[in-house]
Amino acid sequence: MRRVTALLIAAVLVLPRPGRAQTADLAPADNLVTKGIPPISAALVEEARRYGEFRAAGFWDWHPTRREMLIGTRFADAQQMHLVKFPGGARTQLTFFPDPVSVGSYQPTRGDYIVFTKDVGGAEFFQKYRYDVATGEITLLTDGKSRNVGGAWSHTGDRYAYMSTRRDGRDLDLWVIDPAQPQSDRMVAQLEGGGWGASDWSPDDKTLLLMEYVSVNESYLWLVDVASGEKTLLTSKGEGAKVAYGSATFALDGKGIYVTTDRESEFLRLAYFELATRRHRYLTSRIPWDVEEFRLSADGRLVAFVVNEEGVGVLHVLRTDTGVEVTLPKLPVGLIGGVRWRGKTHELGFTCSTARSSGDAYSLDLATGTLTRWTESETGGVRTASFAEPELVHWTSFDGRAIPGFLYKPPARFTGRRPVIVNIHGGPEGQSRPGFIGRNNYYLSELGVAILYPNIRGSAGYGKTFVTLDNGVRREDAYKDIGALLDWIGTRPDLDPARVLVTGGSYGGHMTLVTATRYDDRICCSVDVVGISNLATFLQNTSGYRQDLRRVEYGDERDSTVRTWMERSAPLNNADRVTRPLLVVQGMNDPRVPRSEAEHMVTALERRNVPVWYLMAKDEGHGFRKKANADFQFYATVLFVKRYLLGQ
């Protein structure tokens, strides 16, 4: 469950191009609630618009019998499911919902239907649907109310395992359905907690491999008998140091499991876990970085895996019989994900994005060494070849620890010390990585503003010790990392410490509000996107299925000592320290950070006449996913940056 957190302020979504003759101000649509935001001029929209016209394509699945790809991309307001029949071919849209489709996968033997996932209004109560390829008919498979996530196909393709909160709205239970017969849906195992996921079916389709996620550094593997629901714990609990497991899949003979784990290591290694002896055999010990995902080929001879090398995604392929790596052609330097083998071949599909490419579907044929780009997403007329490549930087925090980050610098035509946007990732176990930063390129290329993405303590990707350094009350140290970063900016001859804006989404929004209260005299302004203003009230009010998972990270607000620290350090309770302008962005249906976290902060600043702008979308949740909403957020942010960071 370590996941890369895309900064919500930089979402790459698209709106139809406004006409050049347009002269009226841009008015917020009826679904948007605004307070304090001045009129957005047509001139600003025209100047910034093309930086929001990027499109991205993500590889989702191969057709089981044809060399065709299922991808996710967006032509209108939200990402939908599309079919690409050959490299460079047209993207045929299959779904047409007002809300984004999250992911889809083919029935694995015939491919006559697709199971896909979608929610409504960003509320994250995801439902499962069946799309019939021959007719285009769509059938709801789940109850339409609960949260339904994950998905693993049986080898025969007649059953699909997923997790659902249908029983009590809180715990994720294991369910199995034959999507061709929706009435077959049944709960296989009743579970406790919101961190469960179905990883794989055994070769005989009698047993399911389950992952129980407790925290970023603690998880467990279970076997579940599909007929009886009986569970068997594979990995020990309560013995020695905590261990994390990531991806997991059965070996072809069913005698073992390939997994990623940080057992006896700082990083997630690829390992073979023998079921009979419960012993691990490590396959990637020579690589001192996390293996973040992998896929075993249909014949079991090859395993493809992606390594997070200090932020960069690097693809590897290993021969399972010898442990020798296969030599691969040179791939773009950036982020790689979603690796999947095509049927029984040795052709691998994946998504790749770079600082200059928003994300496209690729395939790599191991038999020939041929790399093929299947999609080439539009860039709105902007020449991305000139976009800045990030510089890996480090600064020293209060305790002598080196903190990494990525610095994007504006073109050379912008001389002198440049204003800075510090953009903090969410998670907290996320990681800022050198991928495509979308609309944020506007600030670099047109306004000459540098952007710095820090990976403060608690970020994933730098080992299990680093990721736990901010747990509970130790979050104070993560707050200090930002103070050290502001010190470091002052030492750079190319950055202006007198012109700094801090922003971030989710946990990054929390860090933004913390910075606004603790370092008010060292920043010009801040932009909080779906951020937490009080950890205690956030934990009380976040969705039930998330509470225990988040308490491991932030601390338990029900403990009086922890609660006292949370209340004392809460940005909301220190709002009287804020004098600099603040822009707050929130989705009404956010199941993670309730909108009360934003609204209470806005009210506190309004009472003190601090300049505060507020933008809320009635049809969004944890960040804006719809193009029109994301565009308005972008234009409002540009106006805010020009006024309060640049003083225009």
Side-chain angles (χ1 to χ4, degrees), residues 377-535:
S377 295
E378 297 81 358
T379 62
V382 179
R383 294 185 65 254
T384 60
S386 64
F387 282 177
E389 295 279 2
E391 172 191 352
L392 176 63
V393 297
H394 297 83
W395 61 95
T396 303
S397 195
F398 70 97
D399 57 355
R401 186 176 297 275
I403 306 298
F406 291 98
L407 174 64
Y408 292 74
K409 294 189 288 188
R413 71 177 185 274
F414 294 100
T415 58
R417 303 186 82 168
R418 305 313 309 161
V420 184
I421 293 175
V422 176
N423 201 330
I424 308 170
H425 68 70
E429 319 94 324
Q431 181 186 18
S432 290
R433 302 180 64 179
F436 191 68
I437 61 172
R439 291 177 174 88
N440 283 353
N441 284 292
Y442 169 82
Y443 304 113
L444 292 159
S445 300
E446 304 297 334
L447 301 184
V449 178
I451 306 178
L452 203 157
Y453 294 88
N455 284 314
I456 56 178
R457 69 189 66 206
S459 301
Y462 303 96
K464 64 185 180 184
T465 298
F466 192 83
V467 81
T468 58
L469 288 176
D470 66 342
N471 285 4
V473 298
R474 287 184 293 172
R475 198 155 309 279
E476 286 281 351
D477 295 343
Y479 299 161
K480 294 176 185 177
D481 287 344
I482 297 299
L485 171 58
L486 297 175
D487 291 339
W488 177 83
I489 288 173
T491 69
R492 293 274 303 205
D494 52 348
L495 303 179
D496 187 351
R499 293 186 291 171
V500 176
L501 178 153
V502 177
T503 185
S506 192
Y507 173 69
H510 172 69
M511 293 300 297
T512 295
L513 295 175
V514 167
T515 303
T517 58
R518 296 192 174 210
Y519 306 110
D520 175 78
D521 61 334
R522 302 172 67 184
I523 63 173
C524 291
C525 50
S526 49
V527 179
D528 158 38
V529 183
V530 298
I532 303 164
S533 61
N534 185 325
L535 290 173

Side-chain angles (χ1 to χ4, degrees), residues 259-260 268-272 281-284 291 294 303 305:
V259 298
T260 56
L268 288 168
R269 293 182 288 181
L270 181 63
Y272 177 79
R281 176 166 54 89
Y282 303 109
L283 306 178
T284 58
V291 176
F294 72 90
V303 58
F305 60 97

